[in-house]
Amino acid sequence: MNIEETIKCNFDKVREEIALAATNAGRRAEDVKLCAVSKFHQLESVLAAVKSKQFLFGENRVQEAWEKFTNPALANTNVDLHIIGTLQSNKVKKAVQIASCIQSVDRESILEEIEKQSSKINKNIKVFFEVHTGEDSKSGYTSEADLFLSAEKCAKGLFPHIQVAGLMTMAPFTKDEKLIHTSFEYLRNLKEKLNKSFDLPITELSMGMSGDYKIAIEEGSTIVRIGTALFGQRDYSK
């Protein structure tokens, strides 16, 4: 099979597994969105995914995302890009130009920069607060107090171009499913606490990747971020 056929088969398989996992959890398949993580994969893989009717993509590195998602080949394709990697302040300007959502907000200073750059182009942008729930992940809010302070400032309208739409996390990299469940359960409960405390509202839970997305769906994930199962192994040499 060529790359287009291979990727279509991969998407068909993963979508079926997402639907089955949702059904088994007593949920509707359409309530779980697939975010295709295309980092370190070439434009041709993204185009093949679009042909398979995939439009939501996640990228970790802003420069790489810029090079791919500003390509004329993706014009008029309804592609929706989320930035899912840790964001440096000097990358925010480009990030808000190409993305509809930044899933990796992990500190108040990055909120301030997103607001600054979004206001310059008069663009409203969605953000997810990234929460540290696994020892393997070095990013994300580690303090609930800091997280609630950021949420409070957003709720008060201090960042008028920013809409807090969700929470994101990475579970521990482990085969212990109990630990993975605990990580995702914590994020779900945190969403409920935030929504009771502030008028935002937060509706999305971005949790679950290629190795643990079925557990994430069981725990209430609304967006699963999958790369390897869709596009194959990444070529880090590029």
Side-chain angles (χ1 to χ4, degrees), residues 195-209:
N195 279 330
K196 286 179 181 177
S197 301
F198 308 109
D199 181 22
L200 287 170
I202 297 170
T203 58
E204 303 283 7
L205 285 174
S206 176
M207 54 191 197
M209 300 190 292

Side-chain angles (χ1 to χ4, degrees), residues 11 13 20 24-26 33 36 46 72 76 114 143 156 178 233:
F11 271 91
K13 181 172 184 281
L20 180 60
N24 289 342
K33 294 183 280 290
V46 174
N76 304 314
I114 292 169
S143 160
K156 286 182 175 178
K178 186 176 179 181
Q233 294 298 319

Side-chain angles (χ1 to χ4, degrees), residues 7-219:
I7 285 177
K8 183 182 185 305
C9 285
N10 291 345
F11 271 91
D12 288 344
K13 181 172 184 281
V14 169
R15 285 169 178 150
E16 286 177 10
E17 290 177 350
I18 288 172
L20 180 60
T23 300
N24 289 342
R27 302 177 61 199
R28 300 186 308 168
E30 57 266 34
D31 291 337
V32 183
K33 294 183 280 290
L34 171 60
C35 179
V37 180
S38 46
K39 69 174 182 179
F40 294 118
H41 292 289
Q42 301 302 301
L43 177 63
E44 63 177 336
S45 294
V46 174
L47 291 170
V50 170
K51 284 193 175 181
S52 296
K53 301 193 183 312
Q54 177 65 30
F55 302 106
L56 176 58
F57 292 87
E59 285 276 346
N60 289 62
R61 300 183 177 196
V62 174
Q63 187 58 41
E64 180 189 351
W66 181 275
E67 291 168 2
K68 266 186 278 196
F69 286 86
T70 59
N71 192 290
L74 286 172
N76 304 314
T77 58
N78 296 320
V79 159
D80 184 15
L81 177 65
H82 288 196
I83 299 298
I84 61 174
T86 301
L87 191 57
Q88 297 173 323
S89 294
N90 63 350
K91 302 293 185 184
V92 172
K93 182 178 180 179
K94 279 189 172 181
V96 300
Q97 291 180 54
I98 57 173
S100 70
C101 178
I102 295 172
Q103 290 198 19
S104 48
V105 170
D106 59 0
R107 59 199 186 280
E108 189 174 317
S109 62
I110 209 73
L111 277 172
E112 294 168 349
E113 188 63 24
I114 292 169
E115 173 60 33
K116 177 183 174 182
Q117 298 301 334
S118 297
S119 67
K120 288 181 179 178
I121 58 174
N122 195 29
K123 178 178 179 177
N124 293 328
I125 192 158
K126 292 181 180 179
V127 303
F128 292 6
F129 291 131
E130 182 177 1
V131 180
H132 180 93
T133 64
E135 290 307 312
D136 303 288
S137 170
K138 294 177 181 165
S139 55
Y141 281 90
T142 55
S143 160
E144 276 195 23
D146 290 343
L147 172 62
F148 273 69
L149 186 59
S150 292
E152 182 180 17
K153 291 186 175 183
C154 290
K156 286 182 175 178
L158 298 184
F159 307 114
H161 293 85
I162 291 174
Q163 177 193 350
V164 182
L167 300 179
M168 185 263 266
T169 198
M170 293 174 62
F173 186 69
T174 176
K175 291 183 179 179
D176 187 338
E177 292 191 358
K178 186 176 179 181
L179 288 176
I180 299 171
H181 274 284
T182 298
S183 171
F184 294 149
E185 182 183 20
Y186 172 76
L187 197 74
R188 187 185 73 241
N189 290 336
L190 188 59
K191 176 175 83 79
E192 293 172 4
K193 284 171 65 176
L194 283 164
N195 279 330
K196 286 179 181 177
S197 301
F198 308 109
D199 181 22
L200 287 170
I202 297 170
T203 58
E204 303 283 7
L205 285 174
S206 176
M207 54 191 197
M209 300 190 292
S210 288
D212 57 20
Y213 69 89
K214 294 176 185 177
I215 296 174
I217 291 170
E218 187 178 340
E219 292 293 348

